[in-house]
Amino acid sequence: MERCDDPGLRVGAPGSRAHPAGWGHLHHSIFDAIGNGAGGVAWIDVAPSWAGDALSYSPEWSTNAAYYLDYVQGRVRAWRNEYGARKAAKATLLSYQDWLVRTRRYGADV
C-alpha cells in the first residue's frame, strides 16, 4: 500500500479511499460478521462443498453481527467527521474477533 499525504492514512489500489492504517482488516471483519450472522449460506462461495449441508442460523450470532456492524458504522462515522484532523489518523477499529473478545461475547473466559 502506498502512503498518502495525511499521516497514518493509507491508500490501497488506485481509486480506493484512504483509511486509517490499522483498519486493513475492515473488509475481512465485515465479511466475517455477516457470515456469522447469516449462517452457512454466507460461506457457500468460500466452500462450495457446503452447499449440500443444512443451513444454520443462530440468533445469538446474528445479534453479535448486528452489534458489530453498528460499532463499525459508528467508528467510520466518527473518523469521517474528524477527517483531515490529526486525530483522525489515530482512529481505532477493532477487528470482529477482537471486538467479540473485548465485549465478552466470545473468548476463553466467556
Side-chain angles (χ1 to χ4, degrees), residues 3-109:
R3 291 290 251 168
C4 65
D5 293 334
D6 292 335
L9 300 180
R10 295 189 185 271
V11 177
S16 67
R17 296 178 180 228
H19 59 76
W23 290 22
H25 64 83
L26 183 58
H27 179 266
H28 178 77
S29 290
I30 289 174
F31 185 81
D32 200 16
I34 292 171
N36 283 175
V41 71
W43 300 104
I44 290 174
D45 66 327
V46 175
S49 63
W50 295 356
D53 295 348
L55 297 179
S56 62
Y57 171 77
S58 166
E60 176 185 5
W61 285 104
S62 184
T63 300
N64 288 345
Y67 284 144
Y68 180 73
L69 295 174
D70 283 344
Y71 161 74
V72 168
Q73 183 177 21
R75 296 303 302 146
V76 169
R77 192 174 289 136
W79 168 72
R80 183 175 175 226
N81 290 340
E82 297 170 353
Y83 189 79
R86 231 175 153 71
K87 63 183 177 176
K90 297 177 184 175
T92 59
L93 178 70
L94 295 173
S95 71
Y96 181 57
Q97 296 299 321
D98 290 344
W99 178 85
L100 287 171
V101 172
R102 176 83 50 94
T103 59
R104 305 178 68 76
R105 294 174 191 281
Y106 181 77
D109 58 345

